[in-house]
Amino acid sequence: MVYMVYIYKLIHSHIVDKINTVPISDSKTIGYYSTKKKAEEKIKEYQNKKGFENYPNNFKIEKLKIYAPSKSSKFYELWHEYMDKNGYDVITPIGVYGTFEEALAMKTKSLFYSKYKEHPNGFEIAEIKLDLDGWTEGFIPN
């Protein structure tokens, strides 16, 4: 049986630089939560942490629909990362999947997309658990 599950990704972003008028942002995934209310509660908590306090309105909650073999609290995130010629990390979230096998299949498929061909080793898959903070401290603002 396959279950349709909604989870909520909490992100914080702010502009750190501009290159030729293109904004460069620093984004942090705070965590994934089982309810929107839990994500909203985390916003209140993080708005007082170092760095986040300078950008208290830059939080965003994304609602994600995932098909999973169970209603577990374990999912898999796939992203692509490399360093550009200016020394910035370029991180592209690809998706969150209900099984490791689904994430691996999307990684294999993504290898054929032109934007990933220059950095084929930049893919990462990480296990994520719901209602646990992935970013647990503040940050030093620019």
Side-chain angles (χ1 to χ4, degrees):
M1 178 173 232
V2 176
Y3 295 91
M4 183 176 66
V5 179
Y6 287 100
I7 64 173
Y8 299 84
K9 180 179 182 179
L10 177 58
I11 302 165
H12 183 272
S13 296
H14 67 280
I15 304 296
V16 294
D17 200 358
K18 285 189 178 181
I19 297 177
N20 298 325
T21 70
V22 176
I24 306 298
S25 67
D26 178 23
S27 295
K28 295 166 180 52
T29 298
I30 306 302
Y32 293 86
Y33 302 93
S34 56
T35 66
K36 185 176 181 184
K37 182 178 180 182
K38 287 183 180 183
E40 291 168 340
E41 289 169 356
K42 283 296 169 182
I43 290 173
K44 291 176 188 171
E45 178 184 328
Y46 274 74
Q47 284 175 327
N48 297 316
K49 290 190 178 205
K50 185 173 179 71
F52 295 106
E53 64 195 5
N54 297 351
Y55 308 95
N57 299 317
N58 290 38
F59 291 92
K60 178 181 172 185
I61 298 172
E62 291 180 1
K63 184 178 181 180
L64 306 174
K65 180 170 52 173
I66 300 170
Y67 295 95
S70 69
K71 292 184 178 182
S72 75
S73 61
K74 187 167 46 171
F75 300 94
Y76 298 87
E77 181 177 27
L78 171 64
W79 71 92
H80 185 266
E81 180 175 357
Y82 69 95
M83 187 174 290
D84 72 8
K85 64 183 178 184
N86 297 306
Y88 289 105
D89 288 327
V90 177
I91 302 170
T92 306
I94 297 172
V96 176
Y97 303 91
T99 66
F100 179 81
E101 293 75 19
E102 287 176 306
L104 190 58
M106 182 52 77
K107 173 187 170 185
T108 302
K109 182 178 177 181
S110 297
L111 284 167
F112 295 100
Y113 297 149
S114 60
K115 70 182 199 175
Y116 302 126
K117 284 187 176 183
E118 286 186 41
H119 306 281
N121 296 322
F123 291 96
E124 297 285 338
I125 298 174
E127 180 182 308
I128 55 174
K129 294 184 180 180
L130 293 182
D131 303 325
L132 295 176
D133 299 345
W135 188 277
T136 56
E137 63 236 16
F139 65 94
I140 299 172
N142 294 350

